[in-house]
Every structure is written in structure tokens, then in C-alpha cells.
Amino acid sequence: MDSPLGRVTAVLGPTNTGKTHYAIERMLGHRTGIIGLPLRLLAREVYDRLVALRGPSVVALVTGEERIVPPRTAYWVCTVEAMPQGLGTDFAAVDEIQLCADPERGHVFTDRLLNMRGTHETLFMGSDTMRPAIAQLVPKVQFARRERFSELTYTGGKKISRMPGRTAIVGFSVENVYAIAELLRRQKGGAAVVMGALSPRTRNAQVAMYQNGDVDYLVATDAIGMGLNLDIKHVAFSATSKFDGRRIRPLLPHELAQIAGRAGRYMQPGTFGVTGEAGPLEDDVVDAIQSHRFKPIERLMWRADRLEFGSPEALIASLEAPSPEQILTRGREADDLQSLKTLSALEGVAVRLRDARDVRLLWDVCRIPDFQGISHGEHTTLLARIFGFLHEAGRVPGDWFARQIKRIDRTEGDIDMLSKRLAYIRTWTYVAQRKGWVDDEAHWREATRAVEDRLSDALHQALTNRFVDRRTSVLLRRLKMKEGLLADINDKGEVIVEGETLGHLEGFRFRQTGTASPDEARTVRQAAAQALRPEFHLRADRFYNAPDTEMDFTEQGGLMWGDQAVGKLVRGAEPLKPGVEPFVDDEAGPEVLQKVQRRLQHFIDRRIAAAMDPLVAMQRDEGVTGLARGFAFRLIENLGVLPRQDIAQEVKELDQEARGQLRRHGVRFGQFTIFQQLLLKPAPTRLRLVLWSLARGLDEFPEAPPPGLVTVPAVRGAPEGYYPMAGYRLAGERAIRIDMLERLADLLRSADTRGGFEATPDMLSITGMTLDQFADLMGGLGYAAEKGERPKARPAKAAAPEPVPSDPPADLPPPGVPPQETPPDMPPPDVPPAETPPSDLPPGDVPPVDIPPGETPDAPVEEPGQVPDRPDAPPHETPPAPPEEEPELPPAEMPPAGDPPTEAPPEHVADAAEDAPPETEAYYTFTWAPRRQQIRAPRRDGNAAPHGKGKSGGKPKGKPRGPQGAKTFESKPASRSREKAIDPDNPFAALAALKGK
């Protein structure tokens, strides 16, 4: 039965019963209507729904910070605090009416319960706990019970890392919400954030991100319990108590139910539980939430609605008047009443309060909410400033108002800074919405709205950047959908899956980028593996069919396909047979792994066969037998290079037949090194160092010297055996290439190593060194270098043409006969013959001459490094050229007095030449000075090597060594010639035979 003001109905029940939806339908069934909602966010949501149904021209939105009122407004959507009074609409509704019991806002909802009516119909929607209170306060009210569409079940506690998708986790502080969102970003790809302090624009953007599936999780305050309809399957409480403005108190069962009820949408069942530090819920609380039965609300917050504005004191007294009903109780002192008391006590404000109009204006100013959350003193100071403007000029000055807005209109900064600016702009938006407080109200409303929109967008972006990893969240969503992921690999090797760059592909390994936690890395790798599996097979086919020219090895044993690492060499059973270890992800599968491994093994086997062909051919030659076979095995073990001092005895044991077998494979018997000439080229040297490093098990492989250099600086800390493998011999501060060292040894054979010799231009040319560097090199080879200085020889002057005198002097020779340069009585210089070191001496002494077939004794060695080494051949003695010394000239004969010299140079030139000091030059004298342990045998002539400097040749000084344990040798031991047969291939075979006869 209708009352004079229309029918009043209380639609009560748990969440997810469609109460708000029912109210909207009922309102649209009337010509005009108004609905009050608990949150600005929810009001905006309902406004958008009505605009979509009826158009913007007939729907108004009125909140504390926003006012959209078209001229033909028929339907009003408002926050409960902003509902206009006295509109006389046909329909009126108030949602979440159980907030009458809220300590802070309850008196506003209670006022609407007592006073807000529609002329035809009034609805109050909320929890069933309000039934007794509504029945007592509203006469003739009708009740409609609505049951929940879906079942709500308690699931206990779960870790955040194990939360199912489409979960809302509830926190009761900003810090708690941010911490949970950060954890979800690392573990689950991110979360949307919803708080009551957010602007509608920011909140809608965050909710849209969740609803669209960009993220699977929502972190929110208890604001989601106020009518927000979201696709939530599970609600988890991170705490079961909250700070209500004065103290931390536990949440009541009906408050927990209001939030938990957001799980399950329409007919879909929902679950709720706890997480984090929240303890398990008690059984009676769980039973109450699941059965929707709670203790009725017994007290409603109330404040008088009939106010007295005669004076500040009268206004305060009316606000603090006692309630007329026992069920109604005064709540805690509200912010507006507290501000009123503070401002009315200020002298600057009190003098302006002359009548009821001034008191009403002060009360309106005091009702400006403290959006900024600043201290009470700061807030009241701002209110006093605004009241002063309004009282004096009736308006807030435009320039001052503009400065306040300009200070806030900045979108840079972090989340906290942007949130504070949004709170500040809400204050000025509220001021701009009040009628008559500013000039050009429409302009300032648009200006403040634009600033709020910009800050809202910036805050949404900041929240997304901090709490959402779009890449991980998108991949998780697609993986759960069990759809094939689309992968693309650009020319840079970047792997792009579903538009998100996951990393890059290096050969057959996926490298992630931008992951910050193991959970993110696991998700990215799972998505990449699923998307890249076909690509791995295609790439393996291309690699298997690729030519060897596209592959190479590095000096550290890596195996490359173009610029991508696809494997590495590992130690094998033999130096020339290394193994390979492919770089293939496990996700690529065993087929790809085997294919890559086979192709790499084929490549390195062919590369070794080509670069080390002389060694491989010698290894396979069955014609190499006997001692030569064993020696060849030593060469193969050492990859074609052997220092002679390490195998001196084995070399002596080789006869000419064995050496011939080895020479057929390019083996050169040098004075310092036994080697294969072809293996000294850059490519075999580079490969030899890698194979040697593998066989030695080195952690870091030494690099090959740059190709083409005769000498290189010594490598500090080089492993033992490095220089022979690199094709060099260390001598002093530098190392010399072994083939060029053998050429130098050829030149040293003709030098007087006992008496001393100087470096010839040929020696310096071979090594490419300066004289000082050459001296250091010779020192490293066992020679002593003594430095000296001498006058530099002047170039000979060109003889000037002399006129033929009529009577030539008697002491001058006839024309055309050169003057005698050496006096006839001067003896010729004593030039001793050069001594040839024996074969058994260390470097610097000449080993036995081993002449390959087809060469003559005087013929130059065809290839660098080939040194005669036949132990049974006689020493190759070549008489050295006389030393190049300037002849001693007799004193110049002076012409007779009075006769001017013919064509003499100018006097000042001659004097300058005579007075100029002679130039000096440095030189070195080198002598063989081996260490004691290096002297292995006496000279072949039976004489001990002379000590110190001195002229060689002549009779040996000192007494021969006696028989006490000393050995004596013949200069030509007959036994050696009888022990070995004459090599028929030797070009000296005929001479040797004649000599024997």
C-alpha cells in the first residue's frame, strides 16, 4: 500500500544478488529519478551505464568533485553526500544502506534513510543486517529478500605465489597494497590496483586492465566491497583488521562478507580465503559468511539535520544535539565539525561572523573534505584563507586560484607524488563545483577536470609501469589458453612472441632479457620454448646443410656459425681427434642436439684434415717404419713441432734411411727445432695452439702471434711449451720464428763464435731487429755480447781532377798507377781460420751437416729452417772472409813550401773538416758463452774450447787434459766412418768413396 510519498522498499541480501541492477531498472521505469551511491567510483560506473542507455542529455552526475548537469536532466546519479535535497523526483534510491553504522560517514546515510523519498517509489539496498533498524525507523516499509546467485566457499590460506588466476587480494593500507602488487609483478606478471583514493579515471583504467585479462590479479582496499562488479573468482584477505581512523580493530563478520562476496559473478561460484600474515578465519565466522547470516546492526550513526545558524555557538550546539531515538547515536566528531570549532575560535574569522549568512558560509567552507590528508592545522589554515576570500569579495580570486592549480599541473614524479597531486586537485575541483565561489565556473570546472585527467593518466601509467610486467602477464595468459604462440625473429636475432620482446636467439640457445625474478624467467622461458620449437628444427636443418665456409673456430676453442656460438671443442682421445660439445637448449629436443653435434664434428674433422695434412699423411703412411715410425709418433703427439734439445738422442739414432722417410713428409731437421715447414703457416699454427691447449686441459687458451712477424715480444705468463706450438723460440725479451732462426743459424756457422764476431747486415735483415734487439736475442741463444764504440768510418772523398804538372814530383807514381796504400815493410794481417762448432754443442754450435738428396754443399737451403744435420758428414768449414778493417794509411805527404796545392778546398772548409770531432758508432762482439750444463762434448779437434776473447787458430794454449778420467779424441775417428754405410742418395757419396780409397 502506497504512502503519501510513495512506496518504500528495502531490498536486502548478500552481495551478487543484483540489487543495484534492479534499482537502475526501477529508476528508468519512472520519468525522473535519483540514486545515491557510496563511492565516487561506483557513481561514475552507474552514470556511464545510464548514459549508454538514455544518452548524456538527460543524465546528471553530481559528486563532491564532479558536476555534470545537462539542462534536460531527468535522472541524477550522485554520491550519497552530494545528493541534492528537494528535487521531488518520482524515484529515489540509496545503495549500501548498511553504511548507516559507519563511524565517519554513517550520519549521512542515516539522514538519507530518514529523509530521502521519491514521490512514487523509494528503494534502500543493502545488507540484511539492516532489517530491524529500517523496520523501526521507516514506517510502512516493505522488505524484499534477494538471494545470492552463486555459492561462496571458504578455501583457507594460500601463499600469494600459489594464488589462482582472477584473484583479488585485499589490503587495508596503501603500503600493504603496494607490497602485494610488487610481489605479484615478480611472480605472476603484475596486478591492477584499486583504491578508494584513486580518481574514477585511474580506477577505470586499472579495472579495464584487469577485466581485459592483461593481468590476472587485482590488489585492492575494502573499496571493492562497495558495489563494484568485477570478474573475480577468489578473494584473499591479507589482513583481517584495519585502522578505522582512531584504532586498529578486527573486521566484523558482515564487513568480511561484504568484501568476500565480490568473488563469483552472477552464476559463477566464488571462493574466499586468507594469505600473507592473515591468520585463518574462525569457524563461526566462516559459517556466517557462507550462510549470509549475521548479527543485526543495533546502532546507527546520527547527526541533527535541522541546524541553527544564528551564531557559531548555536550551530555547534545543534550539530551536537542528542538523538531522538535510542537506536540512533552520535558518531565520532566529524572533520567538518572539528574544523568549525577551530575556525570559529580564530580572531580573524570570528570578527567576520556578524549574521546567519556569515555562519552558513563558514559552515559551507568547513565541509570541504580534507582530500589531501594533511594535518588538521594545515587544513584549517587553507579553509580560513578561502573563507576570507569569499567573505570579502564573494569569490575566490582567479589569479590565486590559477596559481594553486598550476603548482599541481605536473605529471612527472612517482606514484606517491602523483597521488598527492590528485588529492590536491580534488580540493580545488570541489571549490570549483560550488556555485558562486569562483568566476567563470564552467572554465574552472573544465580546467580542474583536465588537470585531474592528466594526473589520473599519469598515475595509471606509473602504477602499470611499477606493478605490471606486460610481457610476462601476456605470456601467462596465452599459455593458459593453450594456444600456439606466434614467434618472430628479426634480423638482430630478437625473439618477439605475441608482440613482446623476450630476448634473442644465439645459435640454438635462447637468451632472456629484462627478467627480474626466477618466476618471470621461468614464464618467459616456457613461452619462448613453446614458440621457438619449430624455429629450432628449421634452424638445425639450415645448419646441417650449411657449407664449412660459414663455420669457424675461435682461439679459445669455440665453434661459430657466422657470428653465433653453436658449440665448443673438448678434449678427445688423441690431440688430432677432439670432440665437440654443442650449445643447444634442452627445449629444442634431442633431434636438434644430435643434428648439430654431427655437423660440428664433421666440420672440425675436415678442418683438421686440411690444416694438418702433413701430419695426417705421415700418420697414415705405412712406409714409415722402424725408428722413423717412433719418431713420427713423437711429432704427431707434438703436432708437428719438436725442440731438438728435447730429442737430441733420438735424432742421433736416426740413420739416413729413416730420415729420408721423414723428409718425404716435409720434416726438417733444424739446428734448434725439428718441424714440418707447412705447419708453420698461420692457419695450422692457430689450430695447433687450440688442439694443444685442449690436450693440456688449459682453462684459458693462449692466442697465436700475429701472422707475418719474424719476432714478437715475449708473452708474460705463457704456459710451458707455448712458444714451439706457436712456431717460435723464446730468446731474451723476444721470440723468433723457428724457420727464420734456422736461417740465422746458417749464417752463424761461418762466424768466429770463439774469437768473436759482429752482426752482419744479413743477420739483422733476417730478424728485422735493431742492433740492440739483436744483441738481446743472441743473449737468449747462448751468446755473450760485449758492447763497444769506435770512430765511424767516413765516406771516401771523390778525387778531384789534377792538372798534369810539367815536372811531376819524383815521389808520385805515374798517372794511372794507384799509390801504394800499405807500406812494403808492414806484414799482412793475421787472419785465423774460423772454427766450426761441433754437432753436439747446444745452440750456437753447428750440428752435423745433414744434406737432403739433390743438394750440394754450397747450395743455399731452399726453404727457411732447413739445416744440414747429418751426423756422419764432415764439418762444413768455410774460411771466413778477412775482417773488414780500414787499412792503415801513411801520413799524408805535404807539398813543398811555396807551392800551392792543386785544386785545394777552401781554407775554412778544410779547417772545419779537420777540427770536427770524429763520429762514433756502437757495435757488439758476440762469442759463444753457453752455460756449463749446455756443454755436452769437446770440440772435434780434441782441444778444449778457449775461454774469454782472443784470436782463434794457431796452437792451442795450455796443456791437454791428462788421462785422469779425461777422454781424448782423434780429429778424424775412423770408427765412425766404418760404423755407418755411405748413403747412396748423398751427392757426396762418390767423393766419400774416393776418399776411402
Side-chain angles (χ1 to χ4, degrees):
M1 180 176 174
D2 293 343
S3 66
L5 290 178
R7 183 175 66 249
V8 179
T9 304
V11 183
L12 307 178
T15 56
N16 192 27
T17 56
K19 295 187 295 294
T20 305
H21 179 73
Y22 172 75
I24 293 173
E25 287 184 338
R26 294 299 302 167
M27 183 171 68
L28 293 178
H30 296 274
R31 185 178 60 85
T32 60
I34 185 172
I35 184 172
L37 301 158
L39 295 176
R40 182 187 179 199
L41 303 176
L42 187 56
R44 185 76 195 197
E45 180 180 315
V46 173
Y47 169 79
D48 292 337
R49 289 175 61 184
L50 290 176
V51 167
L53 293 173
R54 295 298 174 92
S57 62
V58 296
V59 183
L61 175 64
V62 179
T63 66
E65 304 94 86
E66 199 168 9
R67 184 179 179 87
I68 303 173
V69 184
R72 297 174 49 241
T73 297
Y75 303 104
W76 298 75
V77 181
C78 315
T79 55
V80 174
E81 286 85 348
M83 293 179 73
Q85 302 294 316
L87 289 178
T89 57
D90 296 340
F91 175 86
V94 179
D95 198 7
E96 304 295 350
I97 196 62
Q98 73 275 4
L99 287 179
C100 289
D102 184 76
E104 294 184 357
R105 305 172 60 197
H107 66 275
V108 179
F109 282 80
T110 302
D111 178 77
R112 304 300 181 260
L113 176 66
L114 298 176
N115 302 313
M116 180 61 67
R117 296 291 184 271
T119 58
H120 292 88
E121 184 177 5
T122 302
L123 291 183
F124 297 111
M125 297 86 69
S127 171
D128 199 48
T129 57
M130 283 291 293
R131 177 184 290 267
I134 294 176
Q136 181 178 347
L137 297 174
V138 181
K140 299 182 181 180
V141 64
Q142 298 180 10
F143 291 97
R145 168 79 181 183
R146 297 181 69 89
E147 299 297 332
R148 182 177 171 87
F149 290 134
S150 62
E151 184 180 359
L152 187 62
T153 307
Y154 178 67
T155 58
K158 288 184 180 179
K159 293 182 178 180
I160 292 180
S161 59
R162 297 184 178 181
M163 284 294 168
R166 315 313 292 170
T167 291
I169 302 178
V170 181
F172 296 99
S173 68
V174 174
E175 293 78 8
N176 186 238
V177 168
Y178 287 172
I180 296 172
E182 181 68 27
L183 181 61
L184 287 172
R185 187 194 71 82
R186 294 197 303 267
Q187 296 185 348
K188 301 293 186 179
V193 175
V194 174
M195 297 182 292
L198 295 180
S199 66
R201 189 180 182 94
T202 303
R203 171 262 181 189
N204 290 341
Q206 290 287 304
V207 168
M209 187 169 60
Y210 172 79
Q211 292 290 85
N212 295 337
D214 292 341
V215 292
D216 246 0
Y217 299 89
L218 179 72
V219 185
T221 60
D222 52 355
I224 65 168
M226 299 298 176
L228 298 182
N229 296 312
L230 302 174
D231 183 15
I232 298 173
K233 294 182 179 179
H234 181 76
V235 171
F237 292 93
S238 66
T240 56
S241 60
K242 73 172 185 177
F243 182 73
D244 63 359
R246 293 189 177 182
R247 61 186 178 89
I248 297 178
R249 65 172 180 85
L251 292 171
L252 299 175
H254 71 272
E255 293 175 321
L256 292 171
Q258 185 72 25
I259 300 170
R262 294 302 152 189
R265 189 176 185 184
Y266 193 48
M267 303 301 293
Q268 296 294 327
T271 58
F272 68 99
V274 294
T275 187
E277 298 180 357
L281 299 179
E282 296 180 1
D283 293 341
D284 56 342
V285 174
V286 172
D287 182 66
I289 295 174
Q290 292 183 152
S291 61
H292 316 297
R293 294 186 177 90
F294 307 101
K295 182 180 178 180
I297 296 176
E298 299 176 350
R299 291 286 187 271
L300 306 184
M301 299 299 108
W302 176 85
R303 190 168 71 179
D305 58 331
R306 296 182 180 181
L307 304 180
E308 299 290 338
F309 294 102
S311 66
E313 294 76 12
L315 178 58
I316 295 173
S318 62
L319 289 170
E320 293 180 340
S323 63
E325 300 284 346
Q326 185 177 3
I327 193 175
L328 302 177
T329 182
R330 284 174 47 198
R332 67 182 59 166
E333 187 175 80
D335 291 339
D336 51 4
L337 177 56
Q338 188 177 7
S339 298
L340 176 62
K341 292 181 178 180
T342 301
L343 288 178
S344 61
L346 295 177
E347 183 178 356
V349 175
V351 297
R352 293 186 171 96
L353 300 177
R354 294 185 291 266
D355 53 27
R357 185 179 62 85
D358 297 335
V359 176
R360 184 180 291 274
L361 177 61
L362 178 61
W363 175 240
D364 289 341
V365 171
C366 290
R367 295 176 67 186
I368 298 176
D370 183 12
F371 295 112
Q372 303 176 24
I374 56 180
S375 66
H376 176 71
E378 291 178 298
H379 182 60
T380 53
T381 300
L382 175 63
L383 297 183
R385 188 77 178 271
I386 295 175
F387 175 73
F389 287 141
L390 295 175
H391 187 271
E392 295 296 331
R395 295 286 189 276
V396 175
D399 54 349
W400 182 84
F401 197 72
R403 287 196 301 270
Q404 306 308 310
I405 296 175
K406 186 177 181 181
R407 288 170 51 195
I408 302 170
D409 191 10
R410 300 196 311 274
T411 57
E412 69 277 4
D414 57 11
I415 294 175
D416 292 336
M417 183 61 68
L418 293 171
S419 298
K420 288 179 181 179
R421 290 176 189 156
L422 264 173
Y424 293 161
I425 197 62
R426 290 180 69 184
T427 299
W428 305 120
T429 301
Y430 185 94
V431 172
Q433 296 297 330
R434 297 305 300 265
K435 187 175 182 179
W437 280 20
V438 292
D439 291 324
D440 197 357
E441 295 175 2
H443 164 73
W444 290 118
R445 288 173 183 172
E446 289 297 325
T448 54
R449 172 78 178 275
V451 172
E452 181 177 333
D453 288 348
R454 284 192 291 271
L455 291 173
S456 298
D457 293 339
L459 179 58
H460 166 67
Q461 190 62 45
L463 290 170
T464 302
N465 293 340
R466 179 173 174 182
F467 299 127
V468 177
D469 184 349
R470 286 187 177 275
R471 179 182 62 179
T472 306
S473 61
V474 169
L475 295 177
L476 281 172
R477 185 175 71 252
R478 297 303 300 271
L479 287 172
K480 289 180 180 179
M481 296 171 66
K482 300 187 181 302
E483 296 181 358
L485 298 177
L486 300 177
D488 182 33
I489 303 175
N490 59 22
D491 54 355
K492 298 180 181 179
E494 294 177 335
V495 179
I496 303 172
V497 177
E498 299 294 335
E500 300 292 336
T501 301
L502 306 186
H504 65 279
L505 197 60
E506 181 181 319
F508 298 90
R509 293 187 298 184
F510 172 69
R511 302 295 191 187
Q512 300 182 38
T513 56
T515 54
S517 69
D519 297 295
E520 289 182 59
R522 183 169 56 253
T523 300
V524 171
R525 192 162 194 85
Q526 182 182 358
Q530 179 178 333
L532 290 177
R533 194 169 291 115
E535 175 64 24
F536 278 136
H537 285 275
L538 293 174
R539 181 168 286 209
D541 291 338
R542 292 198 303 269
F543 175 68
Y544 196 82
N545 296 317
D548 285 353
T549 54
E550 295 184 6
M551 305 177 199
D552 199 3
F553 63 92
T554 68
E555 294 191 352
Q556 296 300 316
L559 296 172
M560 307 295 292
W561 180 26
D563 59 349
Q564 299 179 351
V566 292
K568 68 176 182 179
L569 295 172
V570 296
R571 183 176 180 177
E574 301 178 14
L576 292 178
K577 294 181 179 179
V580 297
E581 180 181 320
F583 295 157
V584 179
D585 283 342
D586 295 338
E587 292 80 3
E591 295 181 4
V592 174
L593 176 66
Q594 294 174 5
K595 189 172 292 186
V596 174
Q597 187 172 18
R598 286 198 302 268
R599 184 64 185 89
L600 288 176
Q601 193 67 59
H602 294 164
F603 158 72
I604 197 62
D605 290 345
R606 284 196 288 264
R607 179 61 64 89
I608 292 175
M612 299 293 180
D613 179 64
L615 273 183
V616 176
M618 183 170 60
Q619 187 179 29
R620 295 175 179 174
D621 188 358
E622 297 180 356
V624 180
T625 59
L627 292 177
R629 188 70 177 175
F631 197 88
F633 180 76
R634 289 291 302 274
L635 268 176
I636 294 169
E637 271 189 331
N638 289 271
L639 301 171
V641 179
L642 276 170
R644 184 162 182 153
Q645 62 185 7
D646 296 343
I647 53 167
Q649 186 61 36
E650 298 178 38
V651 173
K652 290 180 181 180
E653 293 174 356
L654 292 175
D655 56 16
Q656 291 302 319
E657 181 181 357
R659 298 192 183 201
Q661 294 176 10
L662 296 173
R663 287 196 186 95
R664 286 197 297 269
H665 293 284
V667 178
R668 298 290 182 262
F669 292 85
Q671 176 177 336
F672 295 93
T673 314
I674 313 299
F675 59 96
Q676 288 179 302
Q677 181 69 36
L678 293 177
L679 297 186
L680 298 184
K681 294 182 178 180
T685 298
R686 177 168 168 261
L687 179 58
R688 179 172 57 250
L689 275 172
V690 172
L691 297 177
W692 174 77
S693 300
L694 283 173
R696 291 281 301 272
L698 300 181
D699 295 331
E700 184 176 354
F701 297 0
E703 297 182 358
L709 298 181
V710 176
T711 64
V712 294
V715 179
R716 302 299 179 189
E720 183 180 357
Y722 160 71
Y723 289 103
M725 292 298 106
Y728 284 77
R729 179 186 175 92
L730 181 63
E733 294 297 324
R734 298 183 71 83
I736 183 171
R737 214 169 66 203
I738 58 178
D739 57 343
M740 303 305 290
L741 177 60
E742 300 302 337
R743 291 182 58 182
L744 176 62
D746 292 341
L747 298 178
L748 294 178
R749 286 194 185 90
S750 60
D752 183 5
T753 60
R754 301 297 181 181
F757 65 94
E758 295 185 27
T760 64
D762 288 343
M763 296 178 185
L764 298 177
S765 175
I766 287 176
T767 60
M769 292 180 167
T770 65
L771 187 58
D772 291 335
Q773 291 175 335
F774 184 78
D776 178 71
L777 174 72
M778 294 297 288
L781 294 176
Y783 288 83
E786 183 175 343
K787 187 174 183 180
E789 292 186 353
R790 62 189 175 195
K792 187 175 183 181
R794 296 176 181 174
K797 298 180 181 179
E802 299 179 357
V804 180
S806 56
D807 295 323
D811 56 350
L812 293 178
V817 180
Q820 186 177 0
E821 297 180 356
T822 305
D825 57 349
M826 176 176 279
D830 184 9
V831 182
E835 297 182 3
T836 303
S839 62
D840 293 334
L841 292 179
D845 288 0
V846 182
V849 180
D850 188 355
I851 304 175
E855 294 187 2
T856 60
D858 299 329
V861 181
E862 293 182 2
E863 298 183 12
Q866 180 178 340
V867 180
D869 62 337
R870 250 179 61 193
D872 55 345
H876 179 61
E877 299 181 359
T878 303
E884 298 179 0
E885 299 180 357
E886 294 185 4
E888 298 180 3
L889 299 179
E893 298 183 4
M894 302 298 295
D899 293 339
T902 307
E903 298 293 333
E907 182 178 356
H908 66 279
V909 176
D911 294 341
E914 291 177 1
D915 296 340
E919 297 183 12
T920 61
E921 64 177 356
Y923 69 97
Y924 285 91
T925 303
F926 301 101
T927 56
W928 174 242
R931 299 173 183 173
R932 287 187 178 274
Q933 60 269 27
Q934 290 178 329
I935 302 178
R936 303 178 183 174
R939 294 160 55 97
R940 288 184 179 272
D941 56 6
N943 297 325
H947 298 279
K949 292 181 61 179
K951 295 183 180 181
S952 62
K955 295 181 180 180
K957 296 182 180 180
K959 296 181 180 181
R961 303 176 68 177
Q964 291 87 1
K967 295 183 180 181
T968 58
F969 296 88
E970 296 181 1
S971 60
K972 296 180 181 179
S975 60
R976 292 188 64 108
S977 62
R978 289 194 299 269
E979 288 175 1
K980 294 189 178 181
I982 300 175
D983 187 356
D985 296 330
N986 193 330
F988 301 100
L991 293 176
L994 291 175
K995 185 175 181 180
K997 294 180 181 180

